[in-house]
Every structure is written in C-alpha cells, then in structure tokens.
Amino acid sequence: MLCEFERLIYPSSPDPSSYMVAMYRPCEKIRDMAGNTLDRVKAVGYCLPTASDLRFDIQGQWSRSAKHGLQFEVDRYEEVLVPTKEGVIAYLSSGQIKGIGPKMAERIYDAFGLKALDVLDKEPQRLLEIKGISESKLKTIQESYLVNRGARDVVAFLAPHGVSPRLAVKLYQEYKEQTMDIVKNHPYRLCELAGIGFKTADAIGGSMGIDPLSTERVDQALLYTLSDAEGCGHLCMEKRAFISACEKLLDTPKLTFMMIANRAARLVENGQLVTFGPNVYRTKAAHAEQKLANRIKQLLRIPVSGCLKLDAELDNAERRFGVNFAPEQRTAVKMALTQSLSIITGGPGTGKTMIQRAILDIYKRQHPDHKICCCAPTGRAARRMEQSTGHPANTVHKTLNLLANEDGDYGQPEPIDADLILVDEVSMLDIYLANYLLQSVSLGSQLVLIGDADQLPSVGPGAVLSEMIASEQVPVARLDKVFRQEEGSRIAANAKLIRDGYKTLEWGDDFSLVESPTIQESADKIVELYMREVEKHGLDNVALLTPYRKKTATGADSLNARLRDLVNPPDPEKREAHCGKRVFRVGDKVMQTKNSEEVNNGDVGYITRISYGEDTTVQVDFGGLTVNYSTESLSKLDWGYASTVHKSQGSEYQSVLINLQKAHYIMLNRPLIYTAITRGKSKVTLVGERRALYTAISKTETEKRGTCLAQRLQQNS
C-alpha cells in the first residue's frame, strides 16, 4: 500500500532494533479484510519508516487480534521518491540518513542533481568533494544510508533474532548483494562475523528449515565451541571435553558423540582445527601459541654482551638511591642485565619498581649510546612506569604501532628499535599481544618481562606469564620478601598472606572491612564511602572495584549511574550527548571499552567538550591525549567511576573500595581478590561479607586455562 507516516506509537523514539508500532495515512484507497475503507493504518514490524514528507510502498499482510485489533504486519517497504529537486532534498534531509540535514542535502543536490542517490549508491567517496563532509562524517552517512537502502531488508530480517542494526549493516558491508542469500540459505556463515554467535545463527537456520544434522551446522558448532572457550581465556580444549561441549551446544539427540568427533577429524584434515597432544585448537590460536614458543626459544639462544662488574654497579646504585638491595633484588638486576630474555615476578611491596630503576640506571651508564624502550599493556600502567622510573614509557600497542579496527583486530606490528626493552604488567598480555611483542624484538636485544604471576590472567586467551615461568626454560627472578613501608604496609603484607591462602589478615586504618550483608545495603555504603574518599584523595586517586559489570546494584553499571550524577550532576551549563539510554555530559569520567587506534581498552579520561552541529562531537582527554568521538563511536565509552576488577589491572590508586558478597560466588576466587587489593597504594576498604572474603581466599582459580605454551617451550629444549 502507498502511504505516508503520521505518528510513532511505540517506542517513544525511532529505534530500528526495537519492535515498532506506527500509524500511517493511506495515499490510495485501502480496504481491510472485511472490505471497509480505511483512512488510517496501524502498522507493526522492525525498522519501520518514520520520515515525514515522503511516501512509502509498504508490503506485508493483515492480522487481527482481540487485544490489538487490526494491524498490518510489515515485511518490507520502499520509498517512493519524486524525481525532482524537492523530492531528492526531502529524502536526503528526512532524518533517515544521519549526518545530512536540510543545508547539507541542498549542497549534495547542487553538486550532483537528480543523480545524488546514484552517487550515494555507487560512488559515496565523491561526497568528500562537498564542503563539511569529512571521512568520519562520510562513514556515518554511508552506514545510515545502508540501513535505509540496501541493508534495510537485512536489518528487518535479523532484528527479530536479536541482531542489532549496526551488526546487520556490517554483514551487508561484508557480503553486499549476497547478504540476504547467505542469511536465508547459509546462516551459519554469519558466525564468521564477530558479534553473531552460534545460537543466533542456529535459530535463523532452524527458521529457514536447514537440516539439524547438516555438516555445515555441526562444523560451525565445533568452531564456535572453541571460539567461545577463547572468550573464557582458553586457547585449547581437551578432545573429549571439546566434543562433549559441542554435543551439548547442538542439543540434537540424533547427533552422536562419534558423528561429531568424525566431523572434528575432518576439520583437522582440512586445516581448520589443529591438535597438540590431547588438545585441540582453532588454527589461529594454535599458530599464535607455537609461533610465540618458537620466538622465545630463538631469543634465549642468542648470546648478549650484557653489563659488567655488576656488584660494584649495584653498590654505587645503592648509594645513589639511598637504599640497600636485598640479595634477591641484586640477583634480579644481575639476571636482567646479563640475559637475552628474563622474567622478574613478585607481588606489591617486593621492590619491582626499584629494580626497574636500577636496571635502567646501570644499563644507561654502561651503554650510553644504546636505545631503551619501556612499555606496559595499558596507558595508565605506562604512565605509572614512566613516573616511577623517570624513563619515557608507552603502551605496548603504541610501541608496536598496532592499529585496531572496529573489531579490535590488529594489523602488522612494527619492529622495536631498542637494545633494552622493559615490559611491565606482563600478566595482562594475552597470547596474541605477547606474540606481536616478541616477534618485534630484534635478535640480540635484551628483553625484561616484569609482572605479578599471582594476579588474574589476561582478559584475552592464554596465560603467557605463568606458562613461561612454569616451563622452567626462561630465567626467572622471584621476589617474595615484602619491604614494609609506613604507607600501605598492611596492603602488601595481606596480599602476600592471601596469595599463600591465609585467612588471618592484618586489619587497621589502611586495610579494613565494612560489614554489609545485603547487596543493596552494600551499594548504598559504597556510594557513601566513595564520595568521602574522593573528597579526601581526589577523583583520579580512588577506585571502586566489583566482580560484576551487570546483574546487581553493586555491579559496575549500576554504581556508575549513581556515582556519575553525584560527582557530575546535571547542569544547564553542561552540554550532553546521547548514546542509547546513556547520557554523557561535560566533566564525566569515562573509560574506553574497546581498543582503537589511539586509546586502549581500560584507558580512563574526562569529557572536556561537547560540540553541537550537523554532527555531535564529544572530546575526551586521556591524560594529555585528546580524542574526538562521534555519537556513533560513543558506544566505545563507559562511565569510569566504578569498574570490574579485570578492568583495573595495570592501575594503582591511593584508595580502593572493593565489594565482596556471597551472591558473587561464581566470581569469587583468590586471583580476583588478590588483584583487587593490590590496586591500592595507601588504603583498601572491603565492603560486604567476611565469609565472601574467606570464600575468595579459599577458592583458587576454578580451572586451569587451556594452553600448552609451557609444554611447547619444553619441547626439544
């Protein structure tokens, strides 16, 4: 039927990802199922058109229910565009294409005339000829236009399956005109795109009538099982456990264990899966682990000249720094300055920072012309490294010039032009970043890896630091003695006690527990304590850590929403920008949630400016680095007042608040509580239940990560 949009009934504002109900005025004679003429039509569906001044040819079918009455269920629609200047400008400025307002629509028409839509379809790069359209704006226009033209059918088809319009557009960009054919006839290929899981593809496949016993379905389930395990930190799975997990995922009685195992063998034959001993990997993961193992062995075989007369050098360093190095600290410095590859590991208060200073000081004295590189996985850790050592430090990503795309995948790294490379917080390196790093180290350089092997492992797959240590192939210096200081002495002492499994801790002003039996009560107390600590120490020096991001009142999401309005309340003078249900405003503390070209996942900054115009731009200051965000890229930001323990790795704060409840049982373990309390420099306050603390201390990591790096390092060594 030919009609015009009148009003939106549901939701309150247009949202292509939501089920929509809208009222339309027919532009031709329309009759209902009983033959009655209609002057209004209530339409339902996904991605309904809501632009004024346009006509739409809507296709679908009538339905009637006792509750909602007569409705037209929309399957698809087409804009009916009048081929005139007014018609083209009306379409372009209808609000359906983000980034194009009335003035910009006129400029586009003036440049291309009636061929404007052909340019959008076939030569969108030509829009850069128009004043006011930048590369970033063109990207916004293209994505929005795809939703409303070529990708619209894909968006509408996938929305009921929970696939967001943005992801549907990415599918269209990947597969172009083949997209609908793939979606309907080969839906399991959708798993190739990050963000669409097997269950979503399987639901689409089922609705398309694909045989549940098809090899395509089983093969994709096998690959997804391993991909899902990687999301939990595992590079590989034991073969029988792998087949059993896939069998459970498929949930198809006629598919036996042996049938699935036979398909897995086929995937090994064609190179999509790789086995190592009793374990099976995705090819990408297996190659990364083997490549890293080979590189470590290669680095270990290369002799280095190192530094000389180290006992005398250490004596001189003691006088310069005004300290006395313990025997284990002297051993660590000597090892680092004489080996091609070495590891220094220890908890808080064991002198890792002083050792770094000594290594750099002695090396620069003996090799004044050599180049030194210091880096860490996060921006905050790199800044802390620079402040504590006095030597410039960058993130690992910036050191390697690794540029991330929208999915967080990287291009090729650049070689590191340095003779001595110090890397801090190595426990945060997953298998892929560690592989990039070591491949970039020149043979003959000296690489010193520093970290705490008892912290939580990396967010990404693998357990690089602990596996290298467990292999016993890499020189390791273990720092175990805590050098007590006036400030934070109980934190370091209790970290050691917790690491060793002791529940009898030292309590005092710098390490305390605020008992709170319920989650809601804990949330209220945490907010009160946070505001008090911020007033005392400043916003940058206080962290609020919780095991969960969502789910409860003490989850990071809920706490962030409460704290933001207390720390940075609404003000008519403060500009705001919307991203879904969230509203960012000038002055907000924010955290990056995805790696990008300029900032890394976990970096914290402040919104310093919001500019309105045809596009809203949000400016964020990440400690001297200014980054601009469009409204679309705001999805990469979250508020930064509270965070999960994982997100806090690599950071230190004067005061740390930690929530622990028995309701968090699934997340409670020793590495988590150890990592959380070691973020504190001067003060740690636990809020919650004492028994939850004891549960965390008692429970070591529930399962060892699936990785064979240690075994690979031990092969032929």
Side-chain angles (χ1 to χ4, degrees):
M1 73 178 78
L2 193 65
C3 59
E4 294 177 345
F5 172 73
E6 183 176 86
R7 63 188 175 91
L8 186 63
I9 299 172
Y10 177 84
S12 57
S13 59
D15 181 0
S17 65
S18 168
Y19 185 75
M20 299 172 71
V21 182
M23 195 68 75
Y24 294 88
R25 291 186 303 274
C27 299
E28 56 188 357
K29 196 168 185 177
I30 300 295
R31 298 181 186 274
D32 64 12
M33 293 182 290
N36 301 312
T37 302
L38 301 175
D39 62 356
R40 295 289 186 278
V41 172
K42 184 169 68 171
V44 298
Y46 290 86
C47 206
L48 297 183
T50 58
S52 302
D53 304 321
L54 287 177
R55 291 185 173 188
F56 304 98
D57 182 9
I58 294 178
Q59 301 170 34
Q61 54 279 326
W62 292 102
S63 67
R64 184 185 292 276
S65 71
K67 183 176 181 181
H68 300 292
L70 183 68
Q71 299 181 139
F72 191 77
E73 297 178 351
V74 177
D75 291 331
R76 58 183 296 155
Y77 69 87
E78 295 290 338
E79 293 97 352
V80 178
L81 188 63
V82 181
T84 64
K85 176 179 179 179
E86 292 73 22
V88 172
I89 291 176
Y91 173 71
L92 291 174
S93 61
S94 64
Q96 294 194 105
I97 306 175
K98 294 180 181 177
I100 300 181
K103 291 182 180 178
M104 185 60 71
E106 287 196 30
R107 285 187 216 160
I108 293 174
Y109 181 84
D110 289 343
F112 306 115
L114 296 177
K115 294 184 178 180
L117 296 189
D118 286 337
V119 171
L120 271 170
D121 273 324
K122 302 170 184 175
E123 302 176 279
Q125 288 296 317
R126 291 188 63 190
L127 292 180
L128 293 173
E129 301 169 14
I130 297 172
K131 183 181 179 182
I133 296 184
S134 62
E135 289 280 2
S136 61
K137 189 163 191 172
L138 176 62
K139 183 179 178 183
T140 299
I141 292 171
Q142 281 183 276
E143 287 187 357
S144 182
Y145 182 68
L146 282 170
V147 169
N148 287 283
R149 299 289 291 180
R152 187 175 57 219
D153 292 341
V154 181
V155 171
F157 184 85
L158 292 177
H161 298 285
V163 179
S164 71
R166 185 177 181 83
L167 200 49
V169 168
K170 285 178 66 178
L171 271 172
Y172 187 83
Q173 291 171 330
E174 179 79 14
Y175 301 119
K176 301 293 189 297
E177 65 277 358
Q178 299 177 352
T179 307
M180 284 305 295
D181 175 63
I182 289 170
V183 166
K184 290 182 177 180
N185 299 313
H186 305 283
Y188 295 101
R189 284 187 61 187
L190 303 184
C191 295
E192 298 169 6
L193 197 70
I196 295 184
F198 176 81
K199 289 185 178 180
T200 298
D202 202 33
I204 298 170
S207 67
M208 293 294 105
I210 292 179
D211 186 350
L213 302 180
S214 71
T215 56
E216 181 183 13
R217 178 174 182 255
V218 177
D219 290 355
Q220 194 58 58
L222 286 162
L223 293 169
Y224 179 80
T225 298
L226 283 173
S227 178
D228 190 50
E230 283 187 40
C232 298
H234 306 287
L235 282 166
C236 59
M237 296 179 70
E238 189 275 328
K239 292 175 183 176
R240 290 193 66 83
F242 166 54
I243 301 301
S244 295
C246 185
E247 187 177 21
K248 184 178 179 181
L249 174 68
L250 287 163
D251 191 24
T252 306
K254 290 184 179 180
L255 280 171
T256 66
F257 183 96
M258 286 307 300
M259 290 167 69
I260 298 169
N262 286 335
R263 287 309 307 171
R266 278 295 183 91
L267 294 182
V268 172
E269 286 177 15
N270 67 29
Q272 289 180 271
L273 297 180
V274 174
T275 60
F276 181 80
N279 301 292
V280 59
Y281 297 71
R282 285 199 309 153
T283 302
K284 176 185 175 183
H287 286 177
E289 189 177 75
Q290 186 62 64
K291 197 173 178 183
L292 177 60
N294 293 342
R295 188 60 171 179
I296 290 170
K297 293 178 187 178
Q298 191 177 25
L299 290 170
L300 289 170
R301 286 194 295 266
I302 303 297
V304 293
S305 56
C307 294
L308 306 172
K309 300 178 181 178
L310 288 176
D311 282 316
E313 288 282 12
L314 281 162
D315 292 341
N316 291 332
E318 285 181 333
R319 287 191 288 273
R320 287 193 298 275
F321 298 149
V323 298
N324 289 314
F325 292 119
E328 62 184 33
Q329 292 177 313
R330 294 177 75 95
T331 299
V333 175
K334 289 180 182 179
M335 178 196 69
L337 291 170
T338 56
Q339 300 292 326
S340 58
L341 172 62
S342 59
I343 294 171
I344 299 172
T345 183
T350 56
K352 295 194 298 294
T353 297
M354 183 56 68
I355 285 172
Q356 289 182 58
R357 290 180 62 192
I359 291 169
L360 292 169
D361 179 73
I362 294 170
Y363 189 87
K364 282 188 284 189
R365 287 178 177 277
Q366 292 209 11
H367 303 288
D369 298 327
H370 284 198
K371 294 180 180 178
I372 296 172
C373 171
C374 293
C375 58
T378 67
R380 188 176 281 267
R383 286 192 293 274
R384 196 179 78 243
M385 189 181 192
E386 183 170 322
Q387 290 164 2
S388 61
T389 64
H391 193 281
N394 278 313
T395 63
V396 174
H397 302 81
K398 189 169 184 179
T399 300
L400 303 178
N401 198 26
L402 278 176
L403 301 180
N405 60 24
E406 287 185 350
D407 299 325
D409 293 327
Y410 298 103
Q412 286 302 306
E414 292 183 357
I416 300 175
D417 182 19
D419 303 287
L420 174 68
I421 301 114
L422 262 67
V423 188
D424 201 5
E425 298 288 354
V426 176
S427 63
M428 297 178 68
L429 296 181
D430 64 26
I431 196 75
Y432 299 112
L433 187 54
N435 186 39
Y436 281 136
L437 174 66
L438 268 72
Q439 299 298 335
S440 298
V441 173
S442 301
L443 296 178
S445 297
Q446 291 179 260
L447 176 62
V448 184
L449 304 177
I450 303 162
D452 188 345
D454 295 307
Q455 285 187 26
L456 285 168
S458 57
V459 174
V464 174
L465 179 61
S466 58
E467 285 287 291
M468 288 177 69
I469 293 171
S471 75
E472 299 184 342
Q473 303 302 307
V474 182
V476 177
R478 291 179 174 83
L479 307 175
D480 196 52
K481 183 179 178 182
V482 174
F483 298 92
R484 301 171 72 87
Q485 303 166 4
E486 287 185 16
E487 243 187 350
S489 60
R490 287 190 185 88
I491 298 173
N494 285 333
K496 188 174 186 300
L497 289 169
I498 289 171
R499 185 198 69 186
D500 295 336
Y502 292 104
K503 297 177 183 176
T504 303
L505 307 179
E506 298 183 20
W507 304 98
D509 292 339
D510 60 351
F511 197 97
S512 60
L513 171 67
V514 176
E515 298 263 13
S516 177
T518 70
I519 284 181
Q520 188 57 56
E521 184 181 331
S522 291
D524 294 340
K525 286 188 176 181
I526 285 169
V527 169
E528 179 187 341
L529 289 168
Y530 183 87
M531 297 304 293
R532 189 188 306 166
E533 291 300 295
V534 166
E535 186 177 349
K536 182 178 179 181
H537 298 285
L539 195 56
D540 276 340
N541 297 314
V542 180
L544 198 172
L545 308 180
T546 176
Y548 280 118
R549 180 168 168 258
K550 299 182 179 180
K551 296 188 178 182
T552 71
T554 57
D557 286 354
S558 296
L559 290 170
N560 265 321
R562 289 184 65 178
L563 291 169
R564 193 285 295 267
D565 283 339
L566 289 172
V567 175
N568 187 34
D571 186 324
E573 298 298 315
K574 294 178 181 176
R575 290 188 167 189
E576 296 182 337
H578 292 255
C579 179
K581 295 181 180 179
R582 286 179 301 167
V583 179
F584 292 103
R585 69 175 61 106
V586 171
D588 277 351
K589 182 180 183 181
V590 292
M591 176 182 286
Q592 180 83 2
T593 59
K594 289 184 178 180
N595 288 324
S596 68
E597 292 187 8
E598 298 171 290
V599 288
N600 300 316
N601 188 351
D603 283 352
V604 175
Y606 290 88
I607 295 177
T608 53
R609 181 185 300 170
I610 295 178
S611 304
Y612 297 144
E614 290 190 358
D615 270 343
T616 298
T617 302
V618 177
Q619 187 179 86
V620 181
D621 179 7
F622 289 95
L625 172 66
T626 299
V627 180
N628 290 321
Y629 293 80
S630 65
T631 49
E632 283 72 28
S633 59
L634 280 178
S635 60
K636 297 176 183 176
L637 290 179
D638 201 351
W639 290 310
Y641 305 96
S643 76
T644 62
V645 178
H646 269 102
K647 288 281 188 184
S648 72
Q649 285 181 268
S651 303
E652 277 189 350
Y653 305 86
Q654 291 298 324
S655 178
V656 173
L657 299 165
I658 305 163
N659 178 235
L660 293 173
Q661 309 283 160
K662 284 293 285 184
H664 299 156
Y665 180 82
I666 194 170
M667 294 293 292
L668 297 178
N669 57 61
R670 193 181 301 170
L672 180 128
I673 183 61
Y674 176 86
T675 301
I677 71 167
T678 54
R679 301 308 92 204
K681 293 173 67 178
S682 303
K683 185 177 182 180
V684 168
T685 307
L686 306 173
V687 179
E689 299 171 271
R690 192 179 297 270
R691 58 182 184 151
L693 170 63
Y694 293 159
T695 296
I697 295 172
S698 300
K699 195 165 67 168
T700 55
E701 192 69 50
T702 51
E703 62 175 322
K704 182 182 180 295
R705 285 198 164 185
T707 172
C708 299
L709 180 60
Q711 293 98 302
R712 293 183 193 271
L713 288 171
Q714 290 165 349
Q715 281 187 328
N716 303 318
S717 295

